[in-house]
Structure formats: C-alpha cells, structure tokens
Amino acid sequence: MPYLSTTGSDALKAEISRNNGRQKKSKAKSSISVFRDFIDYCVQMDASKVFTKECFDAWLSSRVTVPKQPEESFRRALTAHLRGSDGRSPFSEEEEAAVLKLIRNKNVFAGMFKNSNGKGNGIGNIGFRGLGYHEKLRNGHNNGNQNET
C-alpha cells in the first residue's frame, strides 16, 4: 500500500477522527500546576487566589475537553489533590495547610460559582470536612499500615 501524506486541514481532520471527534490540545496543563500558579509563596503561604474566578477560568481552559459540570469538576479536582486520591499528586504539606485553611470555611466557592439569579449553586456550602494527604499520614492512616512513617 503506498504511503499517503496528509497535510493542512486533512491532517487535522484525521487527528480529530482518531480522537473520536474531539480536537485535543498539544499539551494540557495539569490541575495541580494550575492550582500552584495561584498560590502565593511569600513569607506566609497564601492560597486565597485558588478560590477565584481567574483560577477557575485558567483551570477550565487547561482541560482537553470541557467537563459537563465544570464547577463540580473543579471542586473535585482540588479536593482530590488535597487528599492525594484518584491517582492525583498531593499538594506539599505547606500548600495543603494553606488550601485546607480556606476550603474548610463554609461557602468558600460562593463568590466563584453563581447561577443565573445570583445565588450560589450549592458547591462547598458546608466546607471540606475530609483530611488532607499529609494530615492522614500524621494521624497514622497509611493505607492500613500504621508502622510506616
């Protein structure tokens, strides 16, 4: 079979068809790197910018495909990095403490996610109640093995 060369729009169409109709970005930025871009590493670590519309928009634009529920997906990605779950890289101990300090507050996402009538959509109303990755390690929750440090 002879080699067929595709160029220009033919190459793009071929790539899209290989990806089930979705056009992929060349290199998507990971969630944790977007979150870290919004953490201020001055004398006292400040993670308040993680809970801004700018961070959400940066995170959303870094996604290969737009999630069906972007606000919930943002919250889930952030909490998964806090817990180190779902195969996510955890924040450093200092980053985790700064983010946990804020995410445990009630209505932390209220200013970010508002529905059409100006009210919050319910995400984060009660605050994050789980343990962070490093908190679990300090409390002896090493996947059931308490002898590890």
Side-chain angles (χ1 to χ4, degrees):
M1 180 173 216
Y3 175 74
L4 297 175
S5 170
T6 58
T7 58
S9 63
D10 291 336
L12 181 60
K13 288 177 187 174
E15 180 66 25
I16 290 172
S17 69
R18 281 195 296 274
N19 294 318
N20 297 325
R22 294 177 299 206
Q23 183 176 352
K24 288 195 171 188
K25 295 179 184 178
S26 58
K27 286 188 179 182
K29 197 170 186 181
S30 68
S31 293
I32 192 125
S33 63
V34 171
F35 297 142
R36 284 181 171 150
D37 286 346
F38 287 88
I39 294 177
D40 188 5
Y41 294 91
C42 290
V43 176
Q44 188 172 19
M45 199 165 294
D46 179 21
S48 61
K49 292 180 183 175
V50 171
F51 300 96
T52 62
K53 185 81 167 117
E54 292 79 20
C55 181
F56 172 71
D57 291 340
W59 174 84
L60 191 59
S61 68
S62 72
R63 304 299 85 204
V64 174
T65 57
V66 177
K68 290 181 182 179
Q69 297 177 320
E71 295 88 358
E72 177 60 24
S73 297
F74 177 82
R75 184 206 58 82
R76 193 170 44 250
L78 183 59
T79 58
H81 283 294
L82 280 171
R83 293 186 322 266
S85 63
D86 300 334
R88 307 281 179 127
S89 301
F91 284 107
S92 71
E93 196 165 352
E94 296 81 17
E95 293 167 336
E96 175 185 297
V99 174
L100 282 172
K101 181 179 175 183
L102 297 170
I103 201 169
R104 287 187 169 145
N105 294 326
K106 292 182 178 184
N107 301 314
V108 70
F109 295 106
M112 293 174 59
F113 308 136
K114 293 186 178 182
N115 58 21
S116 59
N117 53 0
K119 295 185 179 180
N121 61 2
I123 294 175
N125 281 351
I126 61 172
F128 180 73
R129 294 182 177 178
L131 290 176
Y133 176 79
H134 298 284
E135 287 179 327
K136 281 187 224 170
L137 291 180
R138 282 192 303 270
N139 290 338
H141 294 94
N142 282 337
N143 296 328
N145 188 352
Q146 295 190 6
N147 294 331
E148 291 183 22
T149 57

